[in-house]
């Protein structure tokens, strides 16, 4: 039954989600991102000698952050949708597609840690 398969996928994915969340917090990437954003929004930033390097680092963190948020929010949403649509096989098939996408994104993210 599709519901059992989905629950198993979520269960199998959970350790990887925890690794990613732990990495994000331990590396303090959210703080780095916010500090770089604040720095680039300052009035005199464009006169900073290292502005190109700072902007590149900010863009890299921004991309990583978007992937992180996509994975973690998608995972949480998939768990909620599985419970919500427990008796609707068509909706569960849609959730399965989304969950497969999250699994792929998770693998890519872990490779790039």
């Amino acid at each position: 039954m599709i519901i059992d398969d989905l629950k198993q996928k979520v269960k199998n994915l959970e350790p990887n989600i925890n690794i990613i969340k732990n990495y994000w917090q331990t590396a303090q990437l959210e703080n780095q991102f916010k500090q770089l954003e604040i720095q680039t929004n300052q009035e005199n930033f464009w006169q900073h000698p290292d502005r190109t390097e700072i902007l590149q680092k900010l863009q890299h963190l921004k991309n990583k952050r978007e992937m992180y948020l996509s994975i973690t929010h998608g995972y949480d949403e998939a768990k909620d949708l599985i419970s919500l649509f427990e008796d609707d096989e068509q909706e569960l098939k849609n959730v399965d597609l989304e969950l497969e996408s999250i699994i792929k994104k998770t693998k890519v993210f872990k490779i790039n840690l």
Side-chain angles (χ1 to χ4, degrees):
M1 194 169 190
I2 192 166
I3 187 80
D4 296 327
D5 292 341
L6 289 173
K7 287 181 179 180
Q8 188 61 46
K9 284 181 183 180
V10 166
K11 184 178 178 183
N12 292 343
L13 188 56
E14 186 174 12
N16 289 328
I17 297 296
N18 290 335
I19 288 169
I20 289 171
K21 285 181 177 180
N22 187 37
Y23 163 76
W24 190 261
Q25 291 170 353
T26 303
Q28 297 184 357
L29 296 177
E30 188 68 28
N31 289 340
Q32 288 178 36
F33 173 76
K34 288 179 179 177
Q35 288 178 357
L36 286 172
E37 252 194 346
I38 290 169
Q39 187 176 2
T40 59
N41 288 328
Q42 290 179 352
E43 192 173 313
N44 60 352
F45 171 73
W46 295 106
Q47 298 167 358
H48 196 289
D50 298 328
R51 69 182 173 273
T52 304
E53 183 180 316
I54 293 167
L55 287 170
Q56 287 174 344
K57 187 172 183 176
L58 175 61
Q59 186 60 47
H60 175 73
L61 277 174
K62 184 176 183 178
N63 293 340
K64 200 169 208 168
R65 182 178 185 263
E66 286 173 4
M67 179 73 93
Y68 168 78
L69 293 174
S70 173
I71 291 168
T72 55
H73 290 166
Y75 174 77
D76 292 339
E77 185 177 293
K79 287 189 334 184
D80 292 342
L81 290 174
I82 290 168
S83 297
L84 183 65
F85 295 119
E86 204 165 321
D87 298 323
D88 187 339
E89 192 163 325
Q90 185 56 46
E91 286 299 328
L92 290 176
K93 287 179 183 177
N94 293 335
V95 174
D96 189 34
L97 292 173
E98 184 60 32
L99 200 52
E100 285 299 321
S101 173
I102 294 166
I103 290 168
K104 289 176 185 172
K105 288 179 187 177
T106 301
K107 289 177 184 177
V108 169
F109 192 90
K110 280 183 63 185
I111 288 170
N112 294 319
L113 286 182

mmCIF file with all atom_site columns, all heavy atoms in Angstrom, residues 49-61:
data_model
loop_
_atom_site.group_PDB
_atom_site.id
_atom_site.type_symbol
_atom_site.label_atom_id
_atom_site.label_alt_id
_atom_site.label_comp_id
_atom_site.label_asym_id
_atom_site.label_entity_id
_atom_site.label_seq_id
_atom_site.pdbx_PDB_ins_code
_atom_site.Cartn_x
_atom_site.Cartn_y
_atom_site.Cartn_z
_atom_site.occupancy
_atom_site.B_iso_or_equiv
_atom_site.pdbx_formal_charge
_atom_site.auth_seq_id
_atom_site.auth_comp_id
_atom_site.auth_asym_id
_atom_site.auth_atom_id
_atom_site.pdbx_PDB_model_num
ATOM 1   N N   . PRO A 1 49 ? 36.823 47.127 -0.378 1.00 0.00 ? 49 PRO A N   1
ATOM 2   C CA  . PRO A 1 49 ? 37.780 46.519 -1.322 1.00 0.00 ? 49 PRO A CA  1
ATOM 3   C C   . PRO A 1 49 ? 37.513 45.033 -1.609 1.00 0.00 ? 49 PRO A C   1
ATOM 4   O O   . PRO A 1 49 ? 37.871 44.537 -2.674 1.00 0.00 ? 49 PRO A O   1
ATOM 5   C CB  . PRO A 1 49 ? 39.138 46.718 -0.640 1.00 0.00 ? 49 PRO A CB  1
ATOM 6   C CG  . PRO A 1 49 ? 38.826 47.028 0.777  1.00 0.00 ? 49 PRO A CG  1
ATOM 7   C CD  . PRO A 1 49 ? 37.455 47.613 0.831  1.00 0.00 ? 49 PRO A CD  1
ATOM 8   N N   . ASP A 1 50 ? 36.881 44.323 -0.690 1.00 0.00 ? 50 ASP A N   1
ATOM 9   C CA  . ASP A 1 50 ? 36.619 42.890 -0.865 1.00 0.00 ? 50 ASP A CA  1
ATOM 10  C C   . ASP A 1 50 ? 35.176 42.597 -1.253 1.00 0.00 ? 50 ASP A C   1
ATOM 11  O O   . ASP A 1 50 ? 34.684 41.493 -1.053 1.00 0.00 ? 50 ASP A O   1
ATOM 12  C CB  . ASP A 1 50 ? 36.957 42.134 0.431  1.00 0.00 ? 50 ASP A CB  1
ATOM 13  C CG  . ASP A 1 50 ? 38.412 42.239 0.808  1.00 0.00 ? 50 ASP A CG  1
ATOM 14  O OD1 . ASP A 1 50 ? 39.262 42.317 -0.099 1.00 0.00 ? 50 ASP A OD1 1
ATOM 15  O OD2 . ASP A 1 50 ? 38.700 42.236 2.025  1.00 0.00 ? 50 ASP A OD2 1
ATOM 16  N N   . ARG A 1 51 ? 34.503 43.579 -1.829 1.00 0.00 ? 51 ARG A N   1
ATOM 17  C CA  . ARG A 1 51 ? 33.072 43.412 -2.116 1.00 0.00 ? 51 ARG A CA  1
ATOM 18  C C   . ARG A 1 51 ? 32.776 42.233 -3.039 1.00 0.00 ? 51 ARG A C   1
ATOM 19  O O   . ARG A 1 51 ? 31.799 41.532 -2.855 1.00 0.00 ? 51 ARG A O   1
ATOM 20  C CB  . ARG A 1 51 ? 32.474 44.696 -2.653 1.00 0.00 ? 51 ARG A CB  1
ATOM 21  C CG  . ARG A 1 51 ? 32.928 45.088 -4.020 1.00 0.00 ? 51 ARG A CG  1
ATOM 22  C CD  . ARG A 1 51 ? 32.322 46.415 -4.469 1.00 0.00 ? 51 ARG A CD  1
ATOM 23  N NE  . ARG A 1 51 ? 32.906 46.848 -5.715 1.00 0.00 ? 51 ARG A NE  1
ATOM 24  C CZ  . ARG A 1 51 ? 34.018 47.560 -5.828 1.00 0.00 ? 51 ARG A CZ  1
ATOM 25  N NH1 . ARG A 1 51 ? 34.656 47.959 -4.749 1.00 0.00 ? 51 ARG A NH1 1
ATOM 26  N NH2 . ARG A 1 51 ? 34.487 47.908 -7.012 1.00 0.00 ? 51 ARG A NH2 1
ATOM 27  N N   . THR A 1 52 ? 33.629 41.979 -4.024 1.00 0.00 ? 52 THR A N   1
ATOM 28  C CA  . THR A 1 52 ? 33.393 40.867 -4.956 1.00 0.00 ? 52 THR A CA  1
ATOM 29  C C   . THR A 1 52 ? 33.452 39.533 -4.223 1.00 0.00 ? 52 THR A C   1
ATOM 30  O O   . THR A 1 52 ? 32.577 38.676 -4.393 1.00 0.00 ? 52 THR A O   1
ATOM 31  C CB  . THR A 1 52 ? 34.430 40.883 -6.099 1.00 0.00 ? 52 THR A CB  1
ATOM 32  O OG1 . THR A 1 52 ? 34.370 42.153 -6.742 1.00 0.00 ? 52 THR A OG1 1
ATOM 33  C CG2 . THR A 1 52 ? 34.160 39.787 -7.091 1.00 0.00 ? 52 THR A CG2 1
ATOM 34  N N   . GLU A 1 53 ? 34.443 39.373 -3.393 1.00 0.00 ? 53 GLU A N   1
ATOM 35  C CA  . GLU A 1 53 ? 34.586 38.136 -2.605 1.00 0.00 ? 53 GLU A CA  1
ATOM 36  C C   . GLU A 1 53 ? 33.415 37.971 -1.642 1.00 0.00 ? 53 GLU A C   1
ATOM 37  O O   . GLU A 1 53 ? 32.876 36.867 -1.494 1.00 0.00 ? 53 GLU A O   1
ATOM 38  C CB  . GLU A 1 53 ? 35.907 38.183 -1.834 1.00 0.00 ? 53 GLU A CB  1
ATOM 39  C CG  . GLU A 1 53 ? 36.194 36.935 -1.035 1.00 0.00 ? 53 GLU A CG  1
ATOM 40  C CD  . GLU A 1 53 ? 37.515 37.055 -0.292 1.00 0.00 ? 53 GLU A CD  1
ATOM 41  O OE1 . GLU A 1 53 ? 38.506 37.528 -0.874 1.00 0.00 ? 53 GLU A OE1 1
ATOM 42  O OE2 . GLU A 1 53 ? 37.543 36.669 0.885  1.00 0.00 ? 53 GLU A OE2 1
ATOM 43  N N   . ILE A 1 54 ? 33.005 39.035 -1.021 1.00 0.00 ? 54 ILE A N   1
ATOM 44  C CA  . ILE A 1 54 ? 31.882 38.993 -0.075 1.00 0.00 ? 54 ILE A CA  1
ATOM 45  C C   . ILE A 1 54 ? 30.593 38.629 -0.806 1.00 0.00 ? 54 ILE A C   1
ATOM 46  O O   . ILE A 1 54 ? 29.820 37.793 -0.329 1.00 0.00 ? 54 ILE A O   1
ATOM 47  C CB  . ILE A 1 54 ? 31.746 40.347 0.664  1.00 0.00 ? 54 ILE A CB  1
ATOM 48  C CG1 . ILE A 1 54 ? 32.959 40.569 1.571  1.00 0.00 ? 54 ILE A CG1 1
ATOM 49  C CG2 . ILE A 1 54 ? 30.450 40.395 1.464  1.00 0.00 ? 54 ILE A CG2 1
ATOM 50  C CD1 . ILE A 1 54 ? 33.094 41.980 2.113  1.00 0.00 ? 54 ILE A CD1 1
ATOM 51  N N   . LEU A 1 55 ? 30.368 39.226 -1.964 1.00 0.00 ? 55 LEU A N   1
ATOM 52  C CA  . LEU A 1 55 ? 29.164 38.925 -2.735 1.00 0.00 ? 55 LEU A CA  1
ATOM 53  C C   . LEU A 1 55 ? 29.153 37.472 -3.218 1.00 0.00 ? 55 LEU A C   1
ATOM 54  O O   . LEU A 1 55 ? 28.102 36.830 -3.240 1.00 0.00 ? 55 LEU A O   1
ATOM 55  C CB  . LEU A 1 55 ? 29.036 39.880 -3.921 1.00 0.00 ? 55 LEU A CB  1
ATOM 56  C CG  . LEU A 1 55 ? 28.636 41.303 -3.562 1.00 0.00 ? 55 LEU A CG  1
ATOM 57  C CD1 . LEU A 1 55 ? 28.778 42.220 -4.773 1.00 0.00 ? 55 LEU A CD1 1
ATOM 58  C CD2 . LEU A 1 55 ? 27.223 41.346 -3.010 1.00 0.00 ? 55 LEU A CD2 1
ATOM 59  N N   . GLN A 1 56 ? 30.304 36.965 -3.592 1.00 0.00 ? 56 GLN A N   1
ATOM 60  C CA  . GLN A 1 56 ? 30.382 35.567 -4.020 1.00 0.00 ? 56 GLN A CA  1
ATOM 61  C C   . GLN A 1 56 ? 30.064 34.627 -2.853 1.00 0.00 ? 56 GLN A C   1
ATOM 62  O O   . GLN A 1 56 ? 29.345 33.643 -3.029 1.00 0.00 ? 56 GLN A O   1
ATOM 63  C CB  . GLN A 1 56 ? 31.757 35.257 -4.594 1.00 0.00 ? 56 GLN A CB  1
ATOM 64  C CG  . GLN A 1 56 ? 31.999 35.860 -5.952 1.00 0.00 ? 56 GLN A CG  1
ATOM 65  C CD  . GLN A 1 56 ? 33.425 35.672 -6.441 1.00 0.00 ? 56 GLN A CD  1
ATOM 66  O OE1 . GLN A 1 56 ? 34.325 35.344 -5.679 1.00 0.00 ? 56 GLN A OE1 1
ATOM 67  N NE2 . GLN A 1 56 ? 33.624 35.903 -7.731 1.00 0.00 ? 56 GLN A NE2 1
ATOM 68  N N   . LYS A 1 57 ? 30.605 34.941 -1.706 1.00 0.00 ? 57 LYS A N   1
ATOM 69  C CA  . LYS A 1 57 ? 30.332 34.118 -0.527 1.00 0.00 ? 57 LYS A CA  1
ATOM 70  C C   . LYS A 1 57 ? 28.851 34.182 -0.156 1.00 0.00 ? 57 LYS A C   1
ATOM 71  O O   . LYS A 1 57 ? 28.233 33.163 0.175  1.00 0.00 ? 57 LYS A O   1
ATOM 72  C CB  . LYS A 1 57 ? 31.195 34.573 0.655  1.00 0.00 ? 57 LYS A CB  1
ATOM 73  C CG  . LYS A 1 57 ? 31.087 33.677 1.853  1.00 0.00 ? 57 LYS A CG  1
ATOM 74  C CD  . LYS A 1 57 ? 32.086 34.026 2.933  1.00 0.00 ? 57 LYS A CD  1
ATOM 75  C CE  . LYS A 1 57 ? 31.960 33.032 4.070  1.00 0.00 ? 57 LYS A CE  1
ATOM 76  N NZ  . LYS A 1 57 ? 32.949 33.254 5.116  1.00 0.00 ? 57 LYS A NZ  1
ATOM 77  N N   . LEU A 1 58 ? 28.281 35.374 -0.236 1.00 0.00 ? 58 LEU A N   1
ATOM 78  C CA  . LEU A 1 58 ? 26.856 35.534 0.059  1.00 0.00 ? 58 LEU A CA  1
ATOM 79  C C   . LEU A 1 58 ? 26.011 34.729 -0.924 1.00 0.00 ? 58 LEU A C   1
ATOM 80  O O   . LEU A 1 58 ? 25.077 34.035 -0.522 1.00 0.00 ? 58 LEU A O   1
ATOM 81  C CB  . LEU A 1 58 ? 26.452 37.009 0.004  1.00 0.00 ? 58 LEU A CB  1
ATOM 82  C CG  . LEU A 1 58 ? 24.963 37.291 0.187  1.00 0.00 ? 58 LEU A CG  1
ATOM 83  C CD1 . LEU A 1 58 ? 24.470 36.815 1.557  1.00 0.00 ? 58 LEU A CD1 1
ATOM 84  C CD2 . LEU A 1 58 ? 24.667 38.773 0.011  1.00 0.00 ? 58 LEU A CD2 1
ATOM 85  N N   . GLN A 1 59 ? 26.341 34.781 -2.207 1.00 0.00 ? 59 GLN A N   1
ATOM 86  C CA  . GLN A 1 59 ? 25.576 34.032 -3.211 1.00 0.00 ? 59 GLN A CA  1
ATOM 87  C C   . GLN A 1 59 ? 25.684 32.527 -2.969 1.00 0.00 ? 59 GLN A C   1
ATOM 88  O O   . GLN A 1 59 ? 24.695 31.806 -3.074 1.00 0.00 ? 59 GLN A O   1
ATOM 89  C CB  . GLN A 1 59 ? 26.050 34.382 -4.617 1.00 0.00 ? 59 GLN A CB  1
ATOM 90  C CG  . GLN A 1 59 ? 25.194 33.759 -5.699 1.00 0.00 ? 59 GLN A CG  1
ATOM 91  C CD  . GLN A 1 59 ? 23.734 34.206 -5.624 1.00 0.00 ? 59 GLN A CD  1
ATOM 92  O OE1 . GLN A 1 59 ? 23.434 35.387 -5.488 1.00 0.00 ? 59 GLN A OE1 1
ATOM 93  N NE2 . GLN A 1 59 ? 22.818 33.263 -5.695 1.00 0.00 ? 59 GLN A NE2 1
ATOM 94  N N   . HIS A 1 60 ? 26.879 32.070 -2.624 1.00 0.00 ? 60 HIS A N   1
ATOM 95  C CA  . HIS A 1 60 ? 27.070 30.650 -2.320 1.00 0.00 ? 60 HIS A CA  1
ATOM 96  C C   . HIS A 1 60 ? 26.209 30.229 -1.127 1.00 0.00 ? 60 HIS A C   1
ATOM 97  O O   . HIS A 1 60 ? 25.530 29.203 -1.177 1.00 0.00 ? 60 HIS A O   1
ATOM 98  C CB  . HIS A 1 60 ? 28.550 30.371 -2.041 1.00 0.00 ? 60 HIS A CB  1
ATOM 99  C CG  . HIS A 1 60 ? 28.832 28.981 -1.607 1.00 0.00 ? 60 HIS A CG  1
ATOM 100 N ND1 . HIS A 1 60 ? 28.782 27.910 -2.459 1.00 0.00 ? 60 HIS A ND1 1
ATOM 101 C CD2 . HIS A 1 60 ? 29.141 28.478 -0.383 1.00 0.00 ? 60 HIS A CD2 1
ATOM 102 C CE1 . HIS A 1 60 ? 29.050 26.803 -1.780 1.00 0.00 ? 60 HIS A CE1 1
ATOM 103 N NE2 . HIS A 1 60 ? 29.272 27.123 -0.532 1.00 0.00 ? 60 HIS A NE2 1
ATOM 104 N N   . LEU A 1 61 ? 26.239 31.028 -0.072 1.00 0.00 ? 61 LEU A N   1
ATOM 105 C CA  . LEU A 1 61 ? 25.432 30.724 1.113  1.00 0.00 ? 61 LEU A CA  1
ATOM 106 C C   . LEU A 1 61 ? 23.934 30.818 0.813  1.00 0.00 ? 61 LEU A C   1
ATOM 107 O O   . LEU A 1 61 ? 23.139 30.026 1.320  1.00 0.00 ? 61 LEU A O   1
ATOM 108 C CB  . LEU A 1 61 ? 25.787 31.656 2.267  1.00 0.00 ? 61 LEU A CB  1
ATOM 109 C CG  . LEU A 1 61 ? 26.998 31.268 3.090  1.00 0.00 ? 61 LEU A CG  1
ATOM 110 C CD1 . LEU A 1 61 ? 27.328 32.357 4.102  1.00 0.00 ? 61 LEU A CD1 1
ATOM 111 C CD2 . LEU A 1 61 ? 26.782 29.945 3.787  1.00 0.00 ? 61 LEU A CD2 1
#
